[in-house]
Amino acid sequence: MSNPCLFCRIASGEVPAKKLHEDDEVVAFWDISPQAPTHFLVIPKKHLSGPGAILSEDEALIGKVVRIGAQLARENGAEHCRLVLNNGAEAGQTVFHLHLHVLAGRAMSWPPG
Ligand code: 5GP
Ligand code: ZN
C-alpha cells in the first residue's frame, strides 16, 4: 500500500513535484499554489507530522532544512525572505508532514494573517 502522506510521496518521487534541491535527507520543491513570486517548500525526507513532533534527535535535520531554505532563496535571487512553519490546523497547517515555507519577491506585512 502506498504511503498516505502526500509529502512522503513527493519525497520518494511517487508524486511529481518541481524540485529545486534533493539530497539524502531533504527535498525542496515549488509550492503548487504560490503565495508570493518566490514560494517553495523545504521538507525533511523523514516523516514528522509538524514542528510539534520534532525530537531532540531531529535538531540537526531541522537546522539543515532552515539552512537549505535560506540558501536556495539566495540562489534564486531572494536575499530577504520569510520562512514559515505552520504548526497545527488552527495555525494554517493543511499538510501534516513538516514543511518550511520560503516566501520572497514581494513586501511582507506583519502581523501575518
Ligand atoms: P500548509 O498550509 O500545510 O502550511 O502548507 C501546505 C502547502 O503545500 C500549501 O502552500 C500548498 O499549496 C502546498 N501543496 C499542497 N499540495 C501540494 C502538492 O501536491 N504539490 C505541491 N508542490 N505543493 C502542494
Ligand atoms: Zn510524510
Side-chain angles (χ1 to χ4, degrees):
M1 210 176 78
S2 70
N3 191 318
C5 171
L6 174 62
F7 285 0
C8 280
R9 295 173 75 193
I10 286 179
S12 72
E14 190 186 335
V15 168
K18 226 179 131 197
K19 293 179 182 172
L20 310 80
H21 172 90
E22 177 162 16
D23 61 43
D24 54 333
E25 295 177 311
V26 170
V27 181
F29 53 96
W30 295 100
D31 197 290
I32 205 166
S33 176
Q35 302 302 309
T38 297
H39 185 185
F40 60 86
L41 305 173
V42 189
I43 64 170
K45 287 187 172 176
K46 176 181 178 179
H47 179 87
L48 294 166
S49 59
I54 297 169
L55 302 174
S56 55
E57 69 196 36
D58 303 315
E59 285 171 7
L61 176 62
I62 301 310
K64 180 174 177 178
V65 164
V66 175
R67 176 178 66 76
I68 294 212
Q71 190 177 311
L72 289 172
R74 242 185 346 264
E75 287 170 11
N76 281 272
E79 189 66 37
H80 298 179
C81 56
R82 180 163 291 176
L83 307 182
V84 175
L85 289 171
N86 290 327
N87 187 30
E90 278 188 36
Q93 188 178 1
T94 59
V95 177
F96 291 87
H97 178 126
L98 186 147
H99 49 280
L100 177 71
H101 290 264
V102 181
L103 299 128
R106 65 166 169 81
M108 300 285 164
S109 59
W110 193 265

